[in-house]
Amino acid sequence: MLEHLELFFKSIFIDNMVFAVFLGMCSYLAVSKKVATAVGLGAAVIFVLTVTVPLNWLLDQYILQEGALTWLGPEFADYDLSFLSFILFIATIATMVQLVEIVVEKFSPALYNSLGIFLPLIAVNCAILGGSLFMQAREISSFALALNYGFSSGIGWFLAILAIAAIREKIRYSAVPAPLRGLGITFIITGLMGIGFQSFGGMLTGDNEPPAAEEVVETIAPVDLKELTQDQTETEKDQETEETNKDLVLNP
Amino acid sequence: MALLSKKDANLILDPLADNNPITIQVLGICSALAITAELKASVVMSISVLFVMGLGNVVISLLRNLIPSKIRIIVQLIVIAALVIIVDQVLKAFAYELSKTLSVFVGLIITNCIIMGRFEAFALGNGPWRSFLDGIGNAFGYGIILIIVGFLRELLGSGTLFGIPVLGDPIAKTGLYAFGYENNGFMIIPPAALIVVGVLIWIQRAQNKSLIEEA
């Protein structure tokens, strides 16, 4: 349970799709002029991520991973098809999106009218494929966790696009310098929001955590981000120690 | 240019500035921001996109009369995915450390909207040679922004270029650091990329007034 809660909050705030890893930026920038459309697209993203991440988790576990084909018979134990993951993941996503579109159109025309136009857009939304690829890279261990991860990442994306759409609706009344108008100011605002979201990074690294949970945090963190922050803290540490050394020399 | 007619040359030159995929068309932002903390990663990413776009545009252009328009998105995705798998395997074989730094972002070239965008907008309606030029032109336009952002972030953030210290040693206080210069750790964190691109857009639009958006 704790594991689920942790993954849930981590995916929404710390590893937010938009602010931490910049996934789905294209539609995030293109469809965030009005809150109403942003809500529609956000809902569609939550839905598609919740469906495709667990589905791709099953594919990964039972077809793609090294040794995943053992259920076919012991002679298949050596097969490693993980190089096929891109093509299978994207095929799953594209088919799911088409399927969902057809089903929604048939059974709920009202929902189709509000959501439908965004569905084709979503097949090429990096957040969707990114969700599946991160699920694979972070080695999420169970089907329920994969479901949780897809759903909570979707919510994180939804919150981000909702926030920027609300800000963009208001900023229309502000005197933004002409060359920054529109795209430029949206980039800068997103950057500032991203810096704000960085502060959630400390949320799950409190002292009360048992060491086992800390390990989970380590494996889940995205590779590039982790390396960069480590480098940063290391240089900071170096500088600090050097400063203290200097102080010692100056004030013996 | 003798090799290319003027129209063909424009296919390559336009995306470099006035029709830049990132700052004007707003395509392919995701990967542009996530991997630009180091110059090396930016260069490798640009080359990968160049390869995928050039070849992908040719393939789609050759197939354009055979693809039923209803399933064209899936066909396009499969073509891109196949090319990206090649890139990914090559990177894993020859530059393993780097492919780890890029992690999932190599895979995300598949959903890089710039590639799909050029397929839809150009390759489906033009011959292979012109599509190829359009592909590499846009990939250059994409790469140039990536390299500028990567250059600024690595230089200001870590004081290095391609991992080589260029501003002196921050620990031993040599070079620029002797005058009290400090690295700006802020440039390394992901949101700084957004601000750098925002400022680039600002500069470009201040230079070229016709690009300014209506209020």
Side-chain angles (χ1 to χ4, degrees), chain A residues 34-118:
Chain A
K34 280 203 189 116
V35 171
T37 46
V39 169
L41 183 69
V45 167
I46 296 183
F47 184 69
V48 176
L49 263 176
T50 317
V51 174
T52 55
V53 171
L55 215 60
N56 281 335
W57 185 84
L58 288 176
L59 270 180
D60 189 43
Q61 289 292 311
Y62 294 106
I63 296 183
L64 295 171
Q65 272 182 12
E66 191 174 359
L69 286 172
T70 8
W71 57 272
L72 274 178
E75 67 271 29
F76 291 99
D78 291 342
Y79 282 63
D80 179 7
L81 296 179
S82 51
F83 66 95
L84 283 177
S85 37
F86 294 157
I87 220 161
L88 273 185
F89 284 180
I90 198 70
T92 315
I93 289 166
T95 11
M96 274 315 297
V97 168
Q98 296 251 305
L99 211 68
V100 166
E101 198 184 346
I102 294 167
V103 170
V104 170
E105 190 180 11
K106 175 98 174 122
F107 290 105
S108 169
L111 184 65
Y112 180 76
N113 285 336
S114 59
L115 207 89
I117 43 166
F118 298 116

Side-chain angles (χ1 to χ4, degrees), chain B:
Chain B
M1 263 193 267
L3 247 176
L4 304 167
S5 69
K6 193 156 186 299
K7 219 166 119 197
D8 283 353
N10 279 343
L11 285 177
I12 292 189
L13 296 178
D14 262 2
L16 291 185
D18 288 348
N19 199 16
N20 189 284
I22 292 183
T23 60
I24 310 296
Q25 303 175 38
V26 209
L27 296 173
I29 312 284
C30 326
S31 53
L33 300 171
I35 47 88
T36 47
E38 295 165 58
L39 192 53
K40 202 169 157 197
S42 316
V43 172
V44 170
M45 191 70 181
S46 312
I47 296 172
S48 312
V49 169
L50 183 72
F51 171 80
V52 175
M53 274 198 82
L55 273 183
N57 254 4
V58 172
V59 173
I60 290 294
S61 166
L62 288 172
L63 293 176
R64 68 184 186 280
N65 297 324
L66 301 173
I67 305 174
S69 73
K70 280 210 162 167
I71 58 156
R72 67 176 193 284
I73 295 205
I74 296 182
V75 175
Q76 288 166 356
L77 285 173
I78 299 293
V79 169
I80 306 173
L83 289 166
V84 169
I85 288 176
I86 298 175
V87 170
D88 186 48
Q89 295 293 317
V90 168
L91 279 182
K92 273 191 185 141
F94 295 104
Y96 188 69
E97 285 304 310
L98 202 61
S99 87
K100 272 186 139 175
T101 321
L102 293 173
S103 72
V104 302
F105 291 100
V106 179
L108 288 173
I109 298 177
I110 299 173
T111 44
N112 194 328
C113 354
I114 179 184
I115 300 180
M116 287 289 281
R118 290 330 290 173
F119 281 10
E120 286 283 309
F122 201 90
L124 281 177
N126 288 282
W129 172 237
R130 298 197 65 211
S131 300
F132 176 71
L133 292 178
D134 181 75
I136 59 171
N138 276 284
F140 275 130
Y142 169 86
I144 211 167
I145 299 289
L146 240 70
I147 289 167
I148 293 175
V149 177
F151 174 82
L152 289 174
R153 283 182 73 191
E154 193 177 346
L155 185 69
L156 300 177
S158 340
T160 56
L161 290 175
F162 290 110
I164 302 161
V166 287
L167 298 180
D169 190 342
I171 313 289
K173 299 277 176 226
T174 56
L176 210 53
Y177 297 99
F179 304 100
Y181 175 82
E182 290 288 344
N183 282 332
N184 185 356
F186 169 75
M187 294 302 279
I188 303 177
I189 63 171
L194 282 160
I195 294 177
V196 173
V197 175
V199 171
L200 283 181
I201 292 174
W202 188 359
I203 295 171
Q204 191 186 13
R205 293 188 181 184
Q207 295 296 318
N208 188 345
K209 298 272 191 257
S210 64
L211 297 172
I212 293 176
E213 286 176 44
E214 296 288 317

